[in-house]
Amino acid sequence: MAYRILLVDDSPAMLRFIERVINISGVEVSEFHKALNGNLALELLQNHSVDLILTDINMPECSGDELVRRLQADPRLRNIPVIVVSTDSTRARVDQITQLGAKAYIAKPFTPEQLGSLIGQVLEDVNV
Amino acid sequence: MSEVDSAVDSILRDCTLRDCTDDVLGTMLFAGIVGDAAIQLLQVQPLLSKTIQISGPLTGTFRLAITMDAADALAADFLGLLLLPDCAAVDQVMGELANMICGAALSRIEPDALFGLSHPEPDSRPIQNDGSFQCFELERGLLAVSLELS
């Protein structure tokens, strides 16, 4: 099965990198969508359905935390699994974001295998 | 904190910074540290330098400085480009590199804390051996990182 994935990060370089890493990891993707912050991600989700969202935390206008919060508040969007991708892997940050509703968290740096495995696990949990 | 504790703490931070730099370079940029380099070698070359302000239970500054040849090569690898990327793209990738090393180091130094990191900003100040300072030779060029926390 091929998935539709939304990538959210304020760095175009990181968006490009994550797309490459997901392609290398072997996860089958039918569509990649990209947004530079949480507000643009929410706008995009008005017109496009996705199976998974990967988001950074520190972004201008609407951070990753705020994006997760707003997704959870929307009945149409709350079931889309969210993986947070961040440089900050302190326990406090991971607890904070998972309590808001993110399904999983991966800290940079990560290998394609690590990201691919996590994506596979999250999507399998959703399908079950 | 005693002098001995302070010295041990300093050594541990140096090791953490080195390990995190090597880890980030190897995992995300497919590069590695070849060896140590003297700060004097860095001080005579044009550099791309980024500074991040750290807030939270500890406050301070993280700085990354890299020679242009190393920055170009790392950015091309990160972006998967065969040709050298433009200056804006290199600058963006180096900002990401600074972010990743800083975040990784802080997560190891204080794993239970909640830190705030500023956006990486250009820093034209001369390179100095401040805080936990490390200077490395890469396959192409030189990279220095420093972390001052209080």
Side-chain angles (χ1 to χ4, degrees):
Chain A
M1 180 178 171
Y3 297 100
R4 301 157 299 180
I5 298 182
L6 169 60
L7 306 178
V8 191
D9 197 302
D10 61 330
S11 164
M14 187 53 74
L15 287 174
R16 185 186 171 111
F17 178 82
I18 293 176
E19 181 180 355
R20 279 178 66 219
V21 166
I22 292 174
N23 284 329
I24 292 168
S25 76
V27 173
E28 263 197 76
V29 180
S30 58
E31 288 169 36
F32 271 114
H33 298 282
K34 295 174 192 175
L36 293 174
N37 61 57
N39 282 338
L40 294 173
L42 290 164
E43 269 177 43
L44 191 146
L45 289 168
Q46 299 302 313
N47 299 308
H48 297 277
S49 296
V50 301
D51 301 300
L52 176 70
I53 300 171
L54 275 81
T55 182
D56 188 15
I57 291 182
N58 291 325
M59 296 181 289
E61 294 184 37
C62 178
S63 65
D65 312 54
E66 183 57 26
L67 172 60
V68 171
R69 205 175 281 123
R70 285 165 70 176
L71 289 169
Q72 288 297 301
D74 188 333
R76 297 170 304 119
L77 303 176
R78 68 163 58 116
N79 293 321
I80 304 173
V82 178
I83 296 176
V84 170
V85 182
S86 179
T87 56
D88 184 350
S89 63
T90 57
R91 277 187 276 273
R93 183 69 74 189
V94 176
D95 287 346
Q96 180 191 59
I97 202 73
T98 46
Q99 275 164 27
L100 286 174
K103 267 282 184 287
Y105 195 104
I106 187 165
K108 301 169 192 171
F110 51 80
T111 63
E113 293 76 21
Q114 286 167 334
L115 184 58
S117 172
L118 183 62
I119 289 174
Q121 209 176 298
V122 166
L123 291 171
E124 194 181 307
D125 286 348
V126 168
N127 288 334
V128 164
Chain B
M1 188 185 273
S2 70
E3 275 190 32
V4 171
D5 287 339
S6 187
V8 168
D9 200 47
S10 176
I11 291 168
L12 287 174
R13 281 194 189 173
D14 286 352
C15 291
T16 297
L17 196 54
R18 183 189 187 92
D19 287 347
C20 290
T21 302
D22 200 31
D23 198 16
V24 170
L25 286 173
T27 308
M28 304 287 273
L29 289 99
F30 318 110
I33 294 170
V34 173
D36 293 323
I39 186 175
Q40 292 81 1
L41 293 175
L42 207 64
Q43 287 167 330
V44 296
Q45 299 196 44
L47 300 173
L48 195 160
S49 183
K50 295 287 185 185
T51 289
I52 296 172
Q53 300 300 327
I54 301 161
S55 59
L58 296 173
T59 59
T61 306
F62 173 84
R63 188 174 182 192
L64 175 146
I66 186 167
T67 55
M68 295 309 301
D69 51 352
D72 287 344
L74 291 179
D77 284 342
F78 187 78
L79 297 169
L81 299 174
L82 294 175
L83 298 175
L84 290 180
D86 61 38
C87 294
V90 174
D91 189 77
Q92 215 180 80
V93 173
M94 291 307 106
E96 283 299 330
L97 179 61
N99 231 358
M100 287 189 282
I101 297 172
C102 181
L106 290 176
S107 297
R108 289 196 206 182
I109 291 167
E110 290 285 342
D112 293 320
L114 204 60
F115 285 102
L117 300 183
S118 73
H119 190 79
E121 294 294 338
D123 190 340
S124 57
R125 293 172 301 155
I127 297 295
Q128 292 188 15
N129 194 339
D130 294 328
S132 293
F133 177 88
Q134 309 272 305
C135 187
F136 306 116
E137 183 184 352
L138 307 181
E139 285 163 35
R140 285 180 63 177
L142 303 172
L143 168 72
V145 289
S146 70
L147 180 63
E148 284 184 79
L149 285 175
S150 55

